[in-house]
């Protein structure tokens, strides 16, 4: 397929013996042989177009902080893209981090323009590091900070898995980096002769990793005999509110979807101190509700009456959001929040194509030679699915997310 001067072919990663296994969270870059099939060389940034520097929290690796900001930029871009096709009364619930993680694993096998598009769409090219292989090291460090819980009442777990056709040989470099950095071990399945049994096996694995909150992620017919690889990322979170809503505070009340529509739902009430800000010029209010342990919080953005949510969405960017969050202060607040649960599932293929990730989904243009051992460049992603579950109650908050892509 196409080649450009931006790509370098690198040596294969040596097999890791049991004696070489190390704690990824304490590892240094030189401890990890992160050498994917191809590497993207980022051009030197234009100093006139550079973002204003924001100091990273201490003690955080500056590049890990940049990856976190890149994930945030992608999250807002994807959210805006999703909002364009949703009706005003429909919900959007997703985990952009789950999607970014899955495509970072896909990037391991990508070359040429496919690799370049992944770097740009997911904002990985904004990280001040010349080579794309270091992104996997930064993802490892970011995941260590996210998933090593600080409070025993909080459960935050991410699980990754590769399901590959057992008749094929997968690149050892691809397998080793996927398992070492992302914990994504390859499970061989028989896609060629029994894709339906493979679908059930994958759905059962997803259900198990999300405590049965997410089931039947892959619909019937999603896999066929041409399926080569299914890449799955799941995130499951369950936390207790630091400030629980009293049980006797539950009441039926009106919830206003917009100025012309409302519905009666169960609402929870409490009055206590939260981080809060009334941004009158922006016509929004911000509320931060911590979970027990204070290392994870939920931020609610509430448009003022008469100010459509769509206008908030259109004007929101990462710098504005950071500015809003920085203005929040501890304040005694009367809080009324809906008690609800919501599920959402959708294909991301069209949305990501509209954002510029086109080659990866085309059999004619995709370049994924780093996935199979023989270097075959005939693979492409047929679709990318996302399914999420959210439940908010008076004592706890739970969400489960699953993302997977099918490689043909």
């Amino acid at each position: 397929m196409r080649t450009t001067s931006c790509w370098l072919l690198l040596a294969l990663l040596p097999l890791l013996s049991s004696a070489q296994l190390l704690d990824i969270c304490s590892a240094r870059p030189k401890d990890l042989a992160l050498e994917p099939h191809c590497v993207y060389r980022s051009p030197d940034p234009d100093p006139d177009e550079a973002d204003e520097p924001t100091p990273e929290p201490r003690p955080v690796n500056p590049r890990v902080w940049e990856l976190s900001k890149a994930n945030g930029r992608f999250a807002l871009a994807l959210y805006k893209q999703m909002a364009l096709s949703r009706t005003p009364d429909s919900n959007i619930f997703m985990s952009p981090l789950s999607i970014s993680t899955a495509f970072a694993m896909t990037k391991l096998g990508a070359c040429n323009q496919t690799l370049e598009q992944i770097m740009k769409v997911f904002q990985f090219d904004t990280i001040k590091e010349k080579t794309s292989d270091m992104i996997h090291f930064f993802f490892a460090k970011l995941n260590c900070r996210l998933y090593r819980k600080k409070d025993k009442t909080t459960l935050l777990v991410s699980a990754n898995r590769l399901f590959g056709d057992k008749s094929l040989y997968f690149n050892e470099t691809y397998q080793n980096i996927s398992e070492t950095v992302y914990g994504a071990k390859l499970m061989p399945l028989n896609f060629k002769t029994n894709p339906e049994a493979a679908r059930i096996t994958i759905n059962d694995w997803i259900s198990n990793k999300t405590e049965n909150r997410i089931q039947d992620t892959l619909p019937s017919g999603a896999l066929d005999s041409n399926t080569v690889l299914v890449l799955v990322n799941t995130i499951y979170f369950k936390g207790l509110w630091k400030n629980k809503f009293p049980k006797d505070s539950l009441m039926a009340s009106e919830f206003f979807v917009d100025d012309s529509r409302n519905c009666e739902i169960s609402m929870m009430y409490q009055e206590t101190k939260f981080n809060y800000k009334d941004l009158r010029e922006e016509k929004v209010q911000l509320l931060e509700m911590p979970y027990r342990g204070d290392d994870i919080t939920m931020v609610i953005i509430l448009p003022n009456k008469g100010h459509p949510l769509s206008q908030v969405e259109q004007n929101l960017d990462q710098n504005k959001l950071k500015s809003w969050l920085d203005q929040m202060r501890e304040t005694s607040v009367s809080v009324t929040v809906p008690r609800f649960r919501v599920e959402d599932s959708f294909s991301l293929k069209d949305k990501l194509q509209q954002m510029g990730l086109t080659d990866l989904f085309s059999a004619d243009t995709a370049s994924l030679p780093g996935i199979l051992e023989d270097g075959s460049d005939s693979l492409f992603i047929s679709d990318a699915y996302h399914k999420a579950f959210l439940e908010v109650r008076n004592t706890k908050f739970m969400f489960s997310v699953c993302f997977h892509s099918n490689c043909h």
Side-chain angles (χ1 to χ4, degrees):
M1 306 188 78
R2 298 165 313 285
T3 59
T4 73
S5 59
C6 295
W7 316 109
L8 294 178
L9 293 179
L10 300 179
L12 291 177
L13 175 72
L15 286 172
L16 296 175
S17 69
S18 59
Q20 292 174 298
L21 293 177
L22 48 79
D23 180 5
I24 191 70
C25 294
S26 61
R28 296 171 296 177
K30 66 180 182 180
D31 298 327
L32 301 173
L34 299 179
E35 297 181 345
H37 197 75
C38 291
V39 169
Y40 173 78
R41 297 286 186 182
S42 298
D44 291 327
D46 185 341
D48 295 332
E49 298 180 1
D51 291 338
E52 283 189 24
T54 55
E56 69 274 5
R58 298 295 181 183
V60 178
N61 183 307
R63 300 298 178 257
V64 176
W65 178 236
E66 288 176 14
L67 174 60
S68 179
K69 293 194 294 181
N71 287 336
R73 282 189 290 269
F74 167 72
L76 283 173
L78 178 59
Y79 178 82
K80 290 184 176 183
Q81 192 67 49
M82 295 285 297
L84 292 175
S85 60
R86 291 294 179 106
T87 58
D89 60 344
S90 62
N91 297 307
I92 299 175
F93 180 53
M94 62 179 177
S95 170
L97 178 61
S98 179
I99 300 167
S100 292
T101 300
F103 277 95
M105 288 191 281
T106 304
K107 187 187 81 66
L108 282 169
C111 289
N112 303 318
Q113 191 166 311
T114 301
L115 175 56
E116 182 177 359
Q117 289 178 1
I118 293 174
M119 293 291 293
K120 291 182 176 179
V121 169
F122 291 91
Q123 305 281 334
F124 298 151
D125 63 335
T126 62
I127 299 172
K128 297 183 182 69
E129 191 68 44
K130 283 291 184 182
T131 55
S132 66
D133 55 318
M134 290 303 297
I135 287 173
H136 305 292
F137 176 78
F138 302 146
F139 254 108
K141 294 299 184 181
L142 178 62
N143 289 337
C144 289
R145 292 185 63 87
L146 287 174
Y147 300 117
R148 287 198 167 178
K149 64 181 182 180
K150 299 177 182 179
D151 187 86
K152 63 181 180 180
T153 65
T154 299
L155 180 63
L156 178 60
V157 180
S158 177
N160 301 300
R161 197 74 196 244
L162 304 175
F163 298 91
D165 188 80
K166 68 177 186 178
S167 68
L168 300 172
Y169 293 97
F170 290 86
N171 186 286
E172 289 181 354
T173 301
Y174 182 76
Q175 291 186 64
N176 285 330
I177 300 179
S178 294
E179 184 172 358
T180 302
V181 175
Y182 300 100
K185 191 172 183 178
L186 180 70
M187 178 186 288
L189 294 176
N190 192 349
F191 291 120
K192 287 191 182 300
T193 60
N194 201 342
E196 179 61 17
R199 181 184 73 87
I200 294 172
T201 298
I202 296 172
N203 280 345
D204 287 346
W205 183 89
I206 294 169
S207 178
N208 176 262
K209 293 299 180 181
T210 59
E211 294 195 358
N212 298 317
R213 299 290 177 180
I214 295 183
Q215 300 184 20
D216 301 322
T217 304
L218 285 167
S220 180
L223 306 180
D224 57 34
S225 59
N226 293 319
T227 302
V228 171
L229 179 71
V230 176
L231 187 154
V232 179
N233 168 271
T234 66
I235 297 177
Y236 178 73
F237 171 73
K238 180 168 67 175
L240 298 177
W241 296 116
K242 181 179 180 180
N243 301 299
K244 296 181 181 179
F245 291 87
K247 290 183 179 179
D248 58 5
S249 73
L250 197 65
M251 57 184 175
S253 182
E254 285 186 314
F255 180 84
F256 292 88
V257 180
D258 56 32
D259 284 342
S260 60
R261 288 168 296 168
N262 61 69
C263 56
E264 187 174 280
I265 61 173
S266 294
M267 303 285 275
M268 306 175 295
Y269 174 82
Q270 67 170 298
E271 185 174 342
T272 190
K273 288 186 176 181
F274 290 106
N275 280 339
Y276 170 82
K277 183 64 179 180
D278 183 0
L279 296 161
R280 297 183 180 180
E281 291 186 1
E282 300 284 358
K283 300 180 181 179
V284 297
Q285 299 175 67
L286 267 69
L287 177 73
E288 183 178 26
M289 300 175 61
Y291 303 101
R292 192 176 294 179
D294 288 315
D295 53 328
I296 301 175
T297 67
M298 179 173 74
V299 175
I300 299 174
I301 301 175
L302 177 67
N304 290 351
K305 187 175 181 179
H307 187 56
L309 177 61
S310 59
Q311 290 188 21
V312 179
E313 294 170 337
Q314 291 171 8
N315 298 323
L316 192 61
D317 58 38
Q318 195 172 42
N319 290 333
K320 176 175 286 190
L321 181 59
K322 182 182 183 303
S323 172
W324 288 0
L325 296 175
D326 288 344
Q327 295 179 61
M328 298 176 74
R329 297 292 182 269
E330 189 174 67
T331 309
S332 291
V333 187
S334 297
V335 177
T336 304
V337 176
R339 177 177 173 177
F340 68 95
R341 63 180 289 169
V342 61
E343 292 186 48
D344 203 1
S345 61
F346 47 85
S347 168
L348 280 163
K349 180 178 177 179
D350 290 344
K351 304 298 180 293
L352 293 174
Q353 286 178 321
Q354 290 163 9
M355 293 172 68
L357 192 64
T358 55
D359 286 25
L360 186 62
F361 295 102
S362 168
D364 296 326
T365 57
S367 181
L368 296 169
I371 292 181
L372 294 178
E373 189 62 46
D374 63 5
S376 171
D377 209 6
S378 60
L379 301 182
F380 70 101
I381 301 295
S382 58
D383 213 331
Y385 298 96
H386 189 277
K387 189 168 186 176
F389 163 89
L390 168 68
E391 184 173 21
V392 176
R393 307 190 69 176
N394 59 307
T395 60
K396 61 185 178 181
F397 175 99
M398 293 183 290
F399 76 77
S400 302
V401 175
C402 175
F403 172 85
H404 66 88
S405 58
N406 301 343
C407 200
H408 278 64

